[in-house]
């Protein structure tokens, strides 16, 4: 069961993490694509596989935003709120930052029972929900891909 108390705790950490993430938040603004991607991620892992959802979102693919940074933010929030196993964290410490969540979940699911995996999945859904809500703290830019390409010149 999703815990509103946990989400409230995660929102504070999500705002702090987003404020320091210069790729996602620029001048107090977030591209709408990030808000959409975190919603899609939450839905994807709620209805599907945790590991496959994280793997998919750990690569940007043809997305207009770098969704792998969202996976890094989820990992940072879990780490900063002491929701990760410290020994397991050390084992994956040298991996690419955007892939830390993927490697952590992959390693975690190898030796855990179904109940513990479901608990981790629920916690990650709570963090994704908190990130989505924390994004409302910032201005959401409603841009389209053509405008972004024009502005790059």
């Amino acid at each position: 069961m999703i815990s509103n108390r946990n989400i409230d705790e995660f929102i504070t950490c999500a705002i702090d993490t987003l404020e320091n993430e210069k790729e996602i938040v620029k001048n107090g603004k977030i591209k709408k694509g990030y808000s959409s991607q975190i919603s899609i991620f939450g839905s994807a892992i709620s209805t599907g596989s945790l590991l496959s959802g994280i793997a998919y979102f750990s690569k940007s693919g043809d997305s207009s935003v770098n969704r792998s940074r969202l996976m890094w933010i989820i990992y940072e929030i879990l780490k900063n709120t002491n929701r990760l196993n410290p020994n397991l964290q050390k084992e994956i410490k040298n991996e690419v930052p955007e892939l830390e969540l993927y490697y952590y979940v992959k390693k975690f699911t190898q030796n855990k029972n179904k109940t513990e995996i479901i608990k981790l999945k629920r916690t990650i859904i709570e963090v994704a929900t908190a990130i989505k809500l924390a994004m409302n703290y910032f201005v959401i830019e409603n841009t389209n891909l053509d405008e972004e390409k024009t502005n790059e010149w």
Side-chain angles (χ1 to χ4, degrees):
M1 187 161 157
I2 302 296
S3 166
N4 288 336
R5 192 179 95 240
N6 287 346
I7 292 171
D8 288 345
E9 177 187 352
F10 294 141
I11 287 173
T12 305
C13 189
I15 289 171
D16 293 342
T17 305
L18 285 167
E19 282 181 325
N20 293 315
E21 176 50 42
K22 302 304 178 201
E23 187 173 334
I24 294 177
V25 178
K26 295 180 183 175
N27 301 319
K29 297 179 181 177
I30 295 177
K31 290 181 190 173
K32 186 173 183 161
Y34 283 109
S35 179
S36 300
Q37 289 296 317
I38 197 67
S39 294
I40 293 167
F41 171 75
S43 296
I45 65 168
S46 291
T47 59
S49 163
L50 176 62
L51 191 59
S52 65
I54 291 170
Y56 179 77
F57 280 83
S58 292
K59 299 290 182 183
S60 288
D62 63 351
S63 175
S64 65
V65 296
N66 184 358
R67 61 183 176 221
S68 65
R69 293 307 290 169
L70 293 171
M71 298 302 98
W72 177 82
I73 287 174
I74 290 171
Y75 187 80
E76 285 296 302
I77 292 169
L78 291 169
K79 185 170 64 174
N80 293 337
T81 57
N82 300 313
R83 297 304 202 284
L84 301 176
N85 177 315
N87 295 327
L88 209 50
Q89 276 183 269
K90 290 176 188 172
E91 289 182 40
I92 60 147
K93 187 72 174 156
N94 295 323
E95 302 298 339
V96 176
E98 286 86 354
L99 297 176
E100 284 180 322
L101 181 62
Y102 170 78
Y103 286 114
Y104 181 88
V105 171
K106 181 180 175 185
K107 205 117 172 95
F108 183 89
T109 56
Q110 289 173 349
N111 302 318
K112 300 294 180 180
N113 64 40
K114 191 172 183 169
T115 304
E116 291 180 63
I117 295 168
I118 290 169
K119 184 178 176 185
L120 176 64
K121 183 177 184 176
R122 184 180 62 237
T123 301
I124 290 174
I125 291 168
E126 291 170 347
V127 171
T129 302
I131 292 169
K132 173 70 174 159
L133 294 170
M135 286 181 174
N136 292 325
Y137 177 80
F138 304 94
V139 174
I140 306 291
E141 282 187 315
N142 196 7
T143 60
N144 65 37
L145 195 54
D146 293 334
E147 288 176 9
E148 290 174 23
K149 288 181 180 177
T150 304
N151 289 336
E152 288 176 4
W153 295 96

